[in-house]
Amino acid sequence: FLGVCLSTIVKYDGEKGYAEVKKIYETAPEAIQRTRALVALGRSKDPKLQLATLNWATDGKSVRAQDVGYALASVARTGSDVAWEWLKDNLAHLNKTFPGAKAHVSLIGNLTPSFNTVAHAEKVKAFIEANNIGSRATTRALERMHTLAHQRAREMKALEAYLKGANASKL
């Protein structure tokens, strides 16, 4: 319940709510409370706050290394384009700050629900190959992107046919 409340505050109360939840993260006595707050910080609708979460969580000082993935995943699910652009610009920083952690896998894996076109999948694949960061998890993410792209295309055809038929019957 705490996570839902904190996410709602961040999502709908802008910078003020974001600051309140960040303070909760910084002062929470229990790890589970910090995790809930960390995930909530990634749920902002404001791209500036999404970027702030990505930069803050990966500064190497503010968030425990083992918890960074929660922030990355949360932003990726909420602001996939922001997270994607940030990853492209910050892969070297991630690898330097968290050597061996493969934090990029968390971002790529969590982009899949929003990246649901073949074009998205091809962009991600090219990035993975260019940066030599392929893994079983990134392969699964790419497969999921392709699956969603084909499902989306199939469903769009059916929806278009239905809407054409519905509109024709109303004329």
Side-chain angles (χ1 to χ4, degrees):
F1 184 70
L2 175 64
V4 172
C5 293
L6 296 177
S7 293
T8 301
I9 291 168
V10 169
K11 191 172 183 179
Y12 295 107
D13 205 14
E15 289 182 21
K16 179 179 176 252
Y18 184 89
E20 289 173 5
V21 172
K22 191 172 179 185
K23 185 173 181 171
I24 289 170
Y25 174 84
E26 293 166 343
T27 60
E30 301 290 329
I32 191 69
Q33 294 166 329
R34 287 189 299 276
T35 300
R36 298 284 196 282
L38 188 57
V39 169
L41 289 170
R43 300 288 165 91
S44 175
K45 296 189 293 185
D46 183 344
K48 287 188 314 183
L49 295 177
Q50 293 168 353
L51 279 173
T53 299
L54 292 168
N55 290 324
W56 170 75
T58 61
D59 68 8
K61 298 176 285 193
S62 303
V63 176
R64 297 181 317 166
Q66 66 264 34
D67 293 340
V68 169
Y70 293 118
L72 300 180
S74 183
V75 174
R77 287 186 199 119
T78 306
S80 57
D81 290 327
V82 170
W84 172 241
E85 292 303 319
W86 184 89
L87 175 62
K88 292 190 308 186
D89 294 340
N90 289 280
L91 181 63
H93 164 70
L94 278 176
N95 290 335
K96 179 181 167 204
T97 307
F98 307 103
K102 302 205 180 288
H104 58 275
V105 173
S106 178
L107 269 173
I108 292 170
N110 284 286
L111 289 170
T112 56
S114 301
F115 276 32
N116 56 15
T117 67
V118 173
H120 279 127
E122 294 306 316
K123 281 193 307 189
V124 173
K125 181 180 179 185
F127 177 77
I128 289 168
E129 289 173 352
N131 291 284
N132 195 27
I133 56 172
S135 68
R136 189 177 311 156
T138 56
T139 300
R140 279 194 312 267
L142 287 170
E143 288 171 356
R144 178 114 171 95
M145 286 179 202
H146 280 287
T147 300
L148 289 172
H150 294 298
Q151 179 182 5
R152 181 176 185 241
R154 183 182 66 241
E155 289 174 358
M156 286 302 293
K157 286 179 187 176
L159 180 60
E160 287 172 359
Y162 171 79
L163 290 175
K164 285 179 185 175
N167 286 334
S169 66
K170 289 184 179 183
L171 295 176

